Amino acid sequence: MTAYSFAAGPARLPDAVLERARDALFVRGVDGAATLERPFTGDAFRATLAHARERLAALLGLPPGYRMLFLAGGAMHQFSLLPMNLLGTARCAAYADSGYWSQRAIDEARRYTKVVIAARYTGATPLAAPTAGRWHLPPGCAYCHITPNETVDGLAYPELPHTGAVPLVADATSCFLATPLDITRFGLIYASAQKNLGVAGLTVLVVRDELLGRVAPHVPTAFSYRIQAQQDSTYNTPPTTAIHVAAMVFDWIADNGGLTTLAAANRRKAERIYRVIDGSGGVYTAPVVPAHRSVTNIRFHLADTALTERFIAEAEAHGLHHLRGHPRIGGLRASLYNAMPEAGANALAEFMSDFARRYG
Amino acid sequence: MTAYSFAAGPARLPDAVLERARDALFVRGVDGAATLERPFTGDAFRATLAHARERLAALLGLPPGYRMLFLAGGAMHQFSLLPMNLLGTARCAAYADSGYWSQRAIDEARRYTKVVIAARYTGATPLAAPTAGRWHLPPGCAYCHITPNETVDGLAYPELPHTGAVPLVADATSCFLATPLDITRFGLIYASAQKNLGVAGLTVLVVRDELLGRVAPHVPTAFSYRIQAQQDSTYNTPPTTAIHVAAMVFDWIADNGGLTTLAAANRRKAERIYRVIDGSGGVYTAPVVPAHRSVTNIRFHLADTALTERFIAEAEAHGLHHLRGHPRIGGLRASLYNAMPEAGANALAEFMSDFARRYG
C-alpha cells in the first residue's frame, strides 16, 4: 500500500526531489564537503543560488523591474518584516480579511501601523472570499495585503482585486507555483518554502524594485529587503539547505512541464475530491462557495461530526495521513500541493466514496 | 585519499550524522512522510524537539532558571534581535570589541541603542583579546556582549570577564559545544547552527528566564524571545530540518563522551597545527598571542605571502580544502570544529610541515 501525507505543511516533497536531495545533499565531493557542508561564499553554493534564481524567474516569467529574495525564516516573520520594510512614510496599510492567516497578518501589522480593513470575507458558512468591487482603499495606504489562498479556511480568491496605485502584496505561501501568476499585478509576493518550495526555514519574496527604498530604520539589517536585494540574499549566511532543496523543486517543476501543466493536474486532483464531497448526499460538506474553493487545501466536514475520528483512523489504515483540520477550526482537510501525485488524490477520493457508502 | 573541508561555516558535519541524516530525513515512514515532510505540530516533530532540548540541557549541565530557544535564521539576525529583546528601559548596552564579528554586532546594535565599548582587543599584531580588569561598564547598561571566539581573527578569550550585575551575553557561534561551559556566567548565549550544531538556518539561544521580560514593542512576534519561550519555540513553523540535524549532532556528542572528551580532542587538534606553525622557523606565523589563540579557527599566514596561492593549490591536491582566510583579512585559516576528526588535523599538520620543508 502506498502511503500519502496530506499535511498542510511542512508538506510532501516531490518523489524525485526526495531522492535527488538524499543523494545530492549528503554525499561528500572531492573537496571533502557535502553540499550542505559547503561555505555559502563558495562557488558551489553561488552556482546553486544563481540556478535557483534563473529557474524561478523562468517559471514565473518574471518581468523586468522585480527582484527575488531568499530569506531565512517563514511567512510569519514577514508579517512583521513587511510593514517594517514597506511602510516608508505612509501612515496606514490596507489588509483584506479572508480568514485565519490574513487575520494573523493583520494582528501583527497592527503592532507597526494603522491597519485599514480593505475588504472582508463572509465569515459565516458558506464562506466567500472578498470579491472585486467594494474595496476600501484610502489614499496613503502603503500597500494592500491579501492572502490569496487561505490554508486553514480552504478559501481562495477567484480573482485578484484591482488596487490601483496601491501596491498589491500577497502572502502566497500555500499557492505559490501551484498555477501561473501575472507577477505584474503584484508589488510583492511572498511564500514560505514548506508547502510548494521544499523544506521549512526559507521564505521566497518577489518584489518590485521601486518598493525597496522604503525600509524603516529599525529593520534588522539581515531582514532589510533593500540590503538583501543589493547583496543577492547573501548579506548573511542564508538557509543553504532549504535553498538547495528549493532549487531542486524548481528543476522538478520545469522538468514536468512548468506551471501550466502543474495547474491542470492540481485542478484535476481538487475536482476529484470536491466531486466526492458534493456527490455524497450530504455525508460530507465543504463550507466554501464552489467558485471560491481552494484547489490546494480542501476543507470538508462530516455532517455527523461523531464520525470524524473514525474517518481519520480508517483513512490512516488506508495509508492516507495527516487529514485532520486545523485545530482552531476542526473537521478535515486534505492539502494537495504540487508534490501530491494524482494517484494520492485518487486514493483519497476512493476511500472517501467508500466511507460515505458505508456510513451515509 | 580522504578529503577534508576546513571551511569556517557552513562546516563539516560529524560523519555519523551525515550518514544518519541521509537515512533518517529522506526516507518515508508508514505515514507517507519523511522526517522533513512532517508537520511541526505533529507528535514526531514534537518528540524530536523535546529530545533536542533534553540532550542539549544534559550536555550543557543546564542550571535551573534558563530556557533554550530554537529560532530561525543565523547569528547576524540576533545582532538586531538581541537589543530589540533585551534593552528594556535601559539607555545603553556594553559591547567588547575583539575583532571582526564583535564589530559587526556593535555596528548593528548602534542602530538600536547607545553602545558603550566595554573593552577592546589589541587590534594590532600580536592580537590579544580583552583581558580581565580594565572593563568599562557604566551602570544602566542592559547587558554586556562579547564574542568569545572570533572566527575571522582566530582569537579567543582566555577567560570570561566578570560583569557583575550586568548580564553577560555571548555570541558563541563558533565555539558553542566545543568545550564545557559554566552557563551560570551568562545571561544569554547564542550560536547559529552551521559551525558546531549542524546546518544553516537555525540559531540556538540559552537565556536566563528573568531576561525575558524586556521585549520591546517592535520586536517581530516570531522573534520575541518571550513569546517563543512561552510557546516552546513553535509560535511559528521552526526550521525543522536544521533542528532534526541539531538533535542528531547532540546525540553524536553524547555518544562520544560529551563536551569534556570533545574539548580534549579539540585541544589536541589545535596543538598539532600550532606546533607546526611555531616550529616552522618563521615560514608560518599565527598573529595571535599564544594564550589567546582560538582552538577552533586557526589563523595563520605564510611569511612569504607570494606562496599563499601555491599553499592552497597544493593543499587541495592533498585533499585539504577551504583553507583560504576570510576575504577581509586574507592569509589562511583552518577551522577545526567538533566534527573535524583528529585524522583531518593530522593530515593538515603533515602537509604543512612538508610544505614548510620544501619552501622554507
Side-chain angles (χ1 to χ4, degrees):
Chain A
M1 181 180 70
T2 310
Y4 296 99
S5 163
F6 295 90
R12 187 182 174 101
L13 292 167
D15 297 345
V17 170
L18 199 65
E19 222 159 287
R20 205 182 138 200
R22 191 168 176 239
D23 291 337
L25 295 181
F26 288 89
V27 178
R28 293 206 172 111
V30 290
D31 64 344
T35 295
L36 43 68
E37 296 175 314
R38 291 213 178 92
F40 79 96
T41 50
D43 292 343
F45 179 73
R46 293 261 177 210
T48 297
L49 188 58
H51 180 72
R53 201 177 289 283
E54 276 162 36
R55 276 288 200 203
L56 180 58
L59 290 172
L60 294 172
L62 195 75
Y66 284 84
R67 306 285 188 103
M68 289 163 288
L69 303 182
F70 295 79
L71 301 185
M76 285 186 76
H77 294 115
Q78 300 306 322
F79 289 177
S80 332
L81 298 164
L82 265 175
M84 284 178 164
N85 274 282
L86 295 190
L87 277 172
T89 56
R91 288 208 310 274
C92 65
Y95 278 71
D97 172 2
S98 53
Y100 183 82
W101 282 110
S102 55
Q103 286 160 14
R104 300 290 300 264
I106 289 165
D107 288 345
E108 186 69 11
R110 285 204 164 114
R111 303 178 62 230
Y112 300 96
T113 190
K114 184 182 159 195
V115 168
V116 173
I117 301 300
R120 273 189 213 281
Y121 76 137
T122 54
T125 308
L127 300 177
T131 40
R134 307 215 327 256
W135 282 59
H136 173 56
L137 280 170
C141 282
Y143 56 86
C144 178
H145 183 279
I146 64 168
T147 309
N149 184 78
E150 285 278 7
T151 320
V152 169
D153 306 86
L155 185 73
Y157 281 66
E159 53 183 1
L160 294 173
H162 288 274
T163 53
V166 180
L168 184 63
V169 170
D171 173 5
T173 291
S174 53
C175 58
F176 196 58
L177 302 188
T179 187
L181 273 177
D182 179 1
I183 295 290
T184 62
R185 298 287 300 275
F186 299 94
L188 186 151
I189 182 164
Y190 64 106
S192 58
Q194 64 267 22
K195 318 287 192 183
N196 266 338
L197 314 183
V199 300
L202 166 71
T203 296
V204 172
L205 284 85
V206 179
V207 56
R208 212 187 287 152
D209 279 343
E210 69 199 45
L211 297 180
L212 296 174
R214 305 174 166 197
V215 179
H218 53 286
V219 181
T221 305
F223 284 124
S224 156
Y225 298 165
R226 185 167 45 80
I227 301 279
Q228 290 287 14
Q230 285 163 357
Q231 307 224 359
D232 202 26
S233 304
T234 53
Y235 170 77
N236 62 328
T237 309
T240 54
T241 307
I243 290 173
H244 277 291
V245 175
M248 292 181 198
V249 171
F250 300 156
D251 283 346
W252 173 79
I253 295 174
D255 294 348
N256 285 275
L259 298 186
T260 309
T261 305
L262 266 184
N266 286 336
R267 263 196 314 276
R268 286 194 297 273
K269 292 184 299 190
E271 274 166 12
R272 278 300 306 264
I273 309 298
Y274 283 123
R275 207 178 302 137
V276 172
I277 292 167
D278 293 338
S280 70
V283 175
Y284 304 108
T285 52
V288 180
V289 299
H292 296 208
R293 287 174 176 174
S294 171
V295 170
T296 308
N297 307 100
I298 319 284
R299 179 179 160 208
F300 59 104
H301 301 264
L302 283 152
D304 179 359
T305 53
L307 287 172
T308 302
E309 292 306 318
R310 187 186 297 260
F311 178 96
I312 288 168
E314 289 198 13
E316 288 184 356
H318 282 77
L320 308 166
H321 297 271
H322 300 301
L323 283 160
R324 195 181 292 279
H326 190 274
R328 286 289 183 90
I329 283 188
L332 298 157
R333 177 173 54 171
S335 294
L336 308 173
Y337 296 109
N338 287 344
M340 176 59 65
E342 294 195 54
N346 291 345
L348 176 60
E350 277 158 33
F351 166 76
M352 286 174 64
S353 295
D354 181 58
F355 187 90
R357 266 193 299 276
R358 287 185 288 116
Y359 295 99
Chain B
M1 182 181 69
T2 310
Y4 297 99
S5 163
F6 294 90
R12 186 181 175 101
L13 293 168
D15 297 345
V17 170
L18 200 65
E19 220 158 288
R20 204 182 138 200
R22 190 167 179 241
D23 290 337
L25 296 181
F26 287 89
V27 177
R28 291 204 174 114
V30 290
D31 64 344
T35 295
L36 43 66
E37 298 175 314
R38 291 214 178 91
F40 79 96
T41 49
D43 292 342
F45 179 72
R46 293 259 177 211
T48 297
L49 188 58
H51 180 73
R53 203 177 289 283
E54 276 162 37
R55 276 289 200 204
L56 181 58
L59 290 172
L60 293 173
L62 195 73
Y66 284 84
R67 306 285 189 102
M68 290 163 289
L69 302 182
F70 295 80
L71 301 185
M76 285 187 75
H77 294 115
Q78 300 307 322
F79 289 178
S80 331
L81 297 163
L82 264 176
M84 284 179 165
N85 274 282
L86 294 191
L87 277 172
T89 55
R91 288 207 309 274
C92 64
Y95 278 71
D97 171 4
S98 53
Y100 182 82
W101 281 110
S102 55
Q103 285 160 13
R104 300 289 301 263
I106 289 165
D107 289 344
E108 186 68 11
R110 284 203 166 116
R111 303 177 63 229
Y112 300 95
T113 190
K114 183 183 161 196
V115 168
V116 173
I117 302 299
R120 274 188 212 281
Y121 75 137
T122 54
T125 308
L127 299 178
T131 40
R134 307 212 332 252
W135 282 58
H136 173 56
L137 280 171
C141 282
Y143 56 86
C144 177
H145 183 278
I146 64 167
T147 309
N149 183 77
E150 285 279 4
T151 320
V152 170
D153 305 86
L155 186 73
Y157 282 66
E159 55 183 0
L160 295 174
H162 288 276
T163 54
V166 179
L168 184 63
V169 169
D171 173 6
T173 290
S174 52
C175 58
F176 196 57
L177 303 189
T179 187
L181 272 176
D182 179 2
I183 295 290
T184 61
R185 297 286 300 276
F186 299 94
L188 187 150
I189 183 164
Y190 65 105
S192 58
Q194 64 267 21
K195 318 287 193 184
N196 265 338
L197 314 182
V199 300
L202 166 70
T203 296
V204 172
L205 285 85
V206 178
V207 56
R208 211 188 287 151
D209 279 342
E210 68 200 47
L211 296 180
L212 296 174
R214 304 174 166 196
V215 179
H218 54 285
V219 181
T221 305
F223 283 123
S224 158
Y225 299 164
R226 185 168 43 79
I227 301 280
Q228 290 288 14
Q230 284 164 356
Q231 308 224 1
D232 203 26
S233 305
T234 53
Y235 170 77
N236 63 327
T237 309
T240 54
T241 306
I243 290 173
H244 278 291
V245 175
M248 292 180 198
V249 171
F250 301 156
D251 283 346
W252 173 79
I253 296 174
D255 293 348
N256 286 276
L259 299 185
T260 308
T261 306
L262 266 183
N266 286 335
R267 262 196 315 276
R268 285 193 298 272
K269 292 185 298 188
E271 275 165 14
R272 277 299 308 266
I273 308 298
Y274 283 122
R275 208 178 302 136
V276 172
I277 292 168
D278 293 337
S280 69
V283 175
Y284 304 109
T285 51
V288 180
V289 299
H292 296 208
R293 287 175 175 174
S294 171
V295 170
T296 307
N297 307 100
I298 317 284
R299 180 178 161 208
F300 58 104
H301 302 264
L302 282 152
D304 179 359
T305 54
L307 287 173
T308 303
E309 292 306 316
R310 187 187 296 261
F311 178 95
I312 288 168
E314 288 197 15
E316 287 184 356
H318 282 77
L320 308 166
H321 297 269
H322 302 301
L323 283 161
R324 195 181 292 281
H326 191 274
R328 287 290 184 88
I329 283 189
L332 298 157
R333 177 174 54 171
S335 293
L336 307 173
Y337 296 110
N338 286 344
M340 175 60 64
E342 294 195 54
N346 292 345
L348 176 59
E350 278 160 33
F351 166 76
M352 286 174 65
S353 295
D354 182 58
F355 187 90
R357 268 193 299 275
R358 286 185 290 117
Y359 295 99

